[in-house]
Amino acid sequence: MTKRELGMIMPPLALPVCIAGANIGGRPNYCTLAWFTMIDDIPPMIGLVMAKERRTKEGILENCTFSVNIPSTQMAAVTDYVGITSGHETDKSEVFKSFYGKLGTAPMIEECPLTMECELLK
């Protein structure tokens, strides 16, 4: 097989996605993220990679809480929608059925098979 040098770029990786959720002004907002990872297991820590200007990021900083939601394959279209639609321009609070856990300010998605509420450390 012939190999081709690509230089210093990120390789095309097939990664699972998550949907981050945060309250902004008391309303839920969601953003699709392709880069997230486990940082530590004790205590459990998750790392998210998010662009500098994201409405959901503003909510994370506002409340120091957020959610990580793992969508099912049946949710592909709506997961894509919240990833390509800006929360600065569109109210995404009604896209999913939101619920809250013990933290009270990290909106989670009822339709997702796995949801986690998190507190911001850094």
Side-chain angles (χ1 to χ4, degrees):
M1 174 185 286
T2 304
K3 302 288 183 181
R4 184 172 62 139
E5 187 174 325
L6 297 176
M8 292 195 54
I9 65 168
M10 286 300 296
L13 300 173
L15 300 171
V17 299
C18 75
I19 302 170
N23 271 356
I24 302 162
R27 297 178 64 84
N29 191 73
Y30 297 99
C31 178
T32 302
L33 302 175
W35 290 355
F36 68 102
T37 187
M38 187 171 121
I39 301 292
D40 206 343
D41 60 340
I42 301 174
M45 283 194 261
I46 296 173
L48 305 177
V49 178
M50 190 177 290
K52 291 181 182 178
E53 294 189 22
R54 290 288 181 259
R55 187 86 170 125
T56 304
K57 187 175 186 178
E58 293 171 16
I60 293 170
L61 296 174
E62 177 183 321
N63 299 290
C64 292
T65 61
F66 61 98
S67 66
V68 175
N69 306 271
I70 309 298
S72 66
T73 55
Q74 291 80 18
M75 297 176 67
V78 71
T79 299
D80 187 47
Y81 171 76
V82 297
I84 63 173
T85 305
S86 171
H88 289 288
E89 300 166 6
T90 304
D91 180 0
K92 296 189 268 184
S93 63
E94 300 294 324
V95 173
F96 303 108
K97 186 171 182 184
S98 300
F99 73 99
Y100 295 86
K102 294 178 183 178
L103 298 176
T105 56
M108 292 176 278
I109 301 171
E110 190 169 300
E111 298 89 337
C112 286
L114 177 62
T115 60
M116 298 168 270
E117 62 178 344
C118 305
E119 291 181 282
L120 180 65
L121 292 178
K122 294 182 185 179

